[in-house]
Each structure stands twice: as structure tokens, then as C-alpha cells.
Amino acid sequence: MTTTEVRTRFAPSPTGFLHVGGARTALFNWLYARHHGGTFVLRIEDTDLERSTEESVEGILDGLQWLGFDWDEGPGPDGDIGDFGPYFQSERLDIYREYVQKLVEEHKAYHCYCTPEELRQRREESLAKGDDPKYDRRCANLTPAEQRALADEGREPVVRFRSSDEGKTVVNDLIRGQIVFDNAMLDDFVILKSDGMPTYNFAVVVDDHLMKITHVIRGDDHISNTPRQIQVYKAFGFPLPEFAHLPMILGSDKTRLSKRHGATSVTEYRDNGFLPEALVNYLALLGWSYSATDTLFSEAELIEKFSLDRVSKNPAVFDMKKLEWMNGVYLREVAPERLTELVIPRLQEEGFIPEEIDATTRERVQHIAVTLQSRMRTLAEFVPSSRYFFTDDVEYDTAAVNKFLYQDHIPEMFDLLIDRLTKTEPFDETHIEQAFLAVQEQVGRKLGDVIQPVRVAVTGTRVSPGMYEVLAILGRDRTCHLLNSAAKMVRHNLSVDSQ
Ligand code: GLU
């Protein structure tokens, strides 16, 4: 028995950024192809000349690359890659026209000269009478002479597909099962516009056929287009591909995911400090599951385990909290060198480190990044939580200052600590700890009562990684300087209060 090679495709319209829904569709197509050792095709559906932009194409390619969804055929750095191109629909117009012509010759499509204005009027009249507002097939059987006369009036025709309105069209969807559409619902839809551009429902069939796509996996917003497409397949005598419509993605309030729910573009997630591997893992769970308990999957595991029969028909809910949690899990696994590369541009943007950095700065950044690594859920959290390592002007949390610093014994305790730390040699975690223990004994308090005020004094907040580690990174001079400023601030404040 010969099995056909699996060929899937992602076919975005470049009219905006790559959004989460599109990325999920791309992922499922990519996983399906990779799982079966097949081919993943990227086709750019840019026939809407007004809304398609070069920028959007770039953004989509960039987003897919960042997520790691490499395509085997499609746009490449120096032109198209693959034997079934071009992969930009705007470069395939001759092909569509040729296929339209075939249907016209076989009386399966016809020229329609009705103007948009006439169509609108007739639609309104039908609606007012309570009739079906679909196209009334006025041009379905024009003679050549009638066609010429209409063209002579300066009318520019569209081409309409002659739909069958009897019987039913059955979609055997791999996810949703059998869906039956009544053909009476279909109208003679336009396949070629008056400007010579094909419509989506036509071009998609011609391309999926010519590109030998075996599995059409896409969002379920295209379900209602599928019977139209099936009729076009049948009109040409093309074999049908398999169809799989992915469940909708909802926001937390159970309405379709949109801007209102937060970031929807893949690039925004990158900017907000998410790792591609975390986003990929999370997107895989939007509609697919392996078991009730398994949630963390490496790319290799996803490829190995992915199957369409584990995709649910029910809508998936996008849960930001879960994505953040997952990102934190992946972030903890990131190797120090990569982590450093990831945080450097963020620190530069904030002005915490210069554009040109030397080996010492890089090493210091790495040390800080590793110290904070386990506390971050996103890379974006790194900048605010590492602030005190890079700037002297501490942002004090007022409540923490009132609770831990404004106490009579604090300035003197800080003086004692400064004294010890000045003599601490080397200035490393172990020796810093000894200085703290000595001061704790001297003042007769619990260790926490020394550490917590110091933490507030140097970081401005009550949470940070281990204090000795933080101070070792800060270095002796900055530590003593910050303790000194805090002691002064407390003395000043207490003396003002007592006046
Ligand atoms: N260009 C269409 C879209 O972005 C493709 C739909 C399909 O996969 O057939 O929605």
C-alpha cells in the first residue's frame, strides 16, 4: 500500500500582525507535518491588495521564525523555496484566471455584469419583502450578444460560480465529524472580481490542489466557507483534501479572543518577555491535550505526541495566568549565557547599561540574571526587579520603609554593619554572612531583624533574592553607600518627627 506524503499549509493573509489564533493554526499544521514526516507549506494570501502590506508579511515571517515553525516550502530569503510556487497569491494571478476560464468554458461559472449598487438595491428589496437576499442569477444565462451589450455600457463583469442549490454538501471534518450543509444556503458566489483578483474561496481551492495539500487545518471561522470550496473542488474534479477545523480561542470572559483581553500579537508576547518555547507549549494546549495532567512538552515531545484526534471541538480559553506560570517554568531552565543575551537589550533600553558592554559588565549582568532567574515569570519583570543593581536612586516602598527603617535603633545598627563590612575580606557571601552574624549578636536581635531593614535600605522593597548574595554583587562601596544614605534618611526623619 502506498501512503501519500502529508502536506499541510499555513495560509495567512498579510493584513496585520501574526496573532495568537494564527500562530496556533500554524503550530498545528507544523506539528502535524512534522509528526508524519511530511511537508509544511507557507502560502501568503495577499490578493487583497488594499489591505495587504509588505510590513505584515515581514511581521508574520518573523513571528513564525521566532516560534521556530520552519517551513519547507514558501517564501525564502532569496525568493520562493519549493516546487509548487509561487507561494504569494499575488504572483499566481495568471493561474487563477486560467482556472476561471476553464469553469466559464464548461458553463460552471459565468460573467455577471450587475453593479454593486444594483446588487445592493435588489438585496434590500428582497429583504424588505422577506425573500432570500442571495444573488438572483440575473446574469446566469446571458447570450453572448447580451453580454456584449452590457459590456458596451461600460460595466466591468465579475465571474460567479454556478452553485448547485439542490441536495446537500457534506464536510467530513477530522475534528468536528460530519457537518451537513444544505445547498439551498449557497449562492452563486464571486470567484473573480472585476479587477481581475480571485476571491478567497476560489484561490484557496486552486492553490491547495496545485500545491498538493493533503490536510487543510485551519480555524473554525472557515467552516461555513468549506461547502463552497467543496463545490469548487467538485466542479474541477479535484480530489478533496482532509479538513480539520480548530476550535475557537476565547478570552477569560468566554468571548472570542481579541485586543480587549490583552496582547494578541505574537510580537507583543516576545516584547512582553515571553520565551518562544513557553508560548509554543502554551499554544499547543489551546484545543489539544495529551492527557488530563500533562502540560509541559518540549518541542520534540509535541511532535511525537501530536495528533488531530486529540484536538477538541470545544472552544479553548486563553488563560494568561497559566501562560505566565508556564513561562516562569521555562525561564528557570534557560542557560546563563542565553539568559544574559535576553536581558541585555532590556537593560540597555532602560539605560541601566551602555550600548557597548565589556566582559566585566556582561559577567555582572549574568550574575544578576542568574540570581533573579527563579523569581521571574517573564523577562519583562527583570528590569524593575534588578533596578537596585544598576542605579543608586533607590525607589523606596513607603510601607516597607515605615515598617522596617523608621525605628530608633536602625541608624546605629547600620553604622555597626558598615564598620564590619568595611573590614570584610574578601567581600563574598560567606564573609558578609559573618559580618551580619557579628552585628546581630552585638545588637542582641534576631538575624531577620538585621536582614530585613538592610534589604529595604538597599533594594527599596521587602522582597529580593538572598541578602548576602545581593550585597556581594552590589560590592562593598555601593552597599556601604546605600546603608549610609538610609541611615542618614532615618536619622533625619526621626529628628523631624521628634521636633
Ligand atoms: N487566508 C485565510 C486566512 O487567513 C486562509 C484560510 C485557510 O486556511 O483556508 O484566514
Side-chain angles (χ1 to χ4, degrees), residues 226-368:
T226 311
R228 287 195 181 83
Q229 294 172 14
I230 289 181
Q231 287 216 1
V232 177
Y233 275 100
K234 289 189 172 156
F236 282 120
F238 295 160
L240 292 182
E242 298 286 356
F243 290 101
H245 287 93
L246 306 175
M248 208 190 282
I249 305 176
L250 307 178
S252 45
D253 60 355
K254 307 286 154 69
T255 64
R256 189 181 269 274
L257 188 70
S258 74
K259 269 257 142 269
R260 282 179 301 118
H261 301 104
T264 48
S265 108
V266 166
T267 332
E268 246 172 302
Y269 281 93
R270 174 172 60 188
D271 296 346
N272 292 347
F274 288 84
L275 296 169
E277 59 269 41
L279 190 55
V280 168
N281 189 154
Y282 186 70
L283 289 175
L285 301 177
L286 288 176
W288 174 83
S289 62
Y290 185 65
S291 75
T293 47
D294 293 328
T295 45
L296 295 169
F297 300 95
S298 67
E299 185 184 294
E301 286 167 334
L302 286 176
I303 291 174
E304 187 209 316
K305 296 188 160 57
F306 186 78
S307 70
L308 286 173
D309 54 19
R310 289 197 166 273
V311 176
S312 160
K313 318 188 220 283
N314 303 323
V317 177
F318 194 91
D319 179 349
M320 194 62 196
K321 286 269 158 300
K322 187 163 172 188
L323 170 59
E324 280 175 357
W325 165 80
M326 199 170 268
N327 200 59
V329 172
Y330 277 90
L331 212 42
R332 286 195 274 288
E333 300 295 317
V334 174
E337 295 73 23
R338 178 175 171 217
L339 188 66
T340 312
E341 290 313 311
L342 287 168
V343 299
I344 282 175
R346 294 178 180 271
L347 294 171
Q348 286 169 328
E349 201 181 315
E350 197 64 26
F352 283 177
I353 55 171
E355 286 301 313
E356 295 285 321
I357 50 170
D358 54 20
T360 324
T361 311
R362 185 176 295 271
E363 214 174 288
R364 181 160 186 269
V365 168
Q366 181 159 320
H367 199 165
I368 296 168

Side-chain angles (χ1 to χ4, degrees), residues 9 11-13 45 200 204 218 222:
R9 79 329 187 248
S13 304
E45 301 208 325
Y200 158 69
V204 76
R218 60 186 171 199
H222 286 294

Side-chain angles (χ1 to χ4, degrees), residues 74 87 178 197 221 236 248 252 281 326 372 403 421 438 476:
Y87 293 92
Q178 200 177 68
M197 285 302 197
D221 46 333
F236 282 120
M248 208 190 282
S252 45
N281 189 154
M326 199 170 268
L372 291 171
K403 176 152 187 220
L421 291 174
R476 187 201 319 276

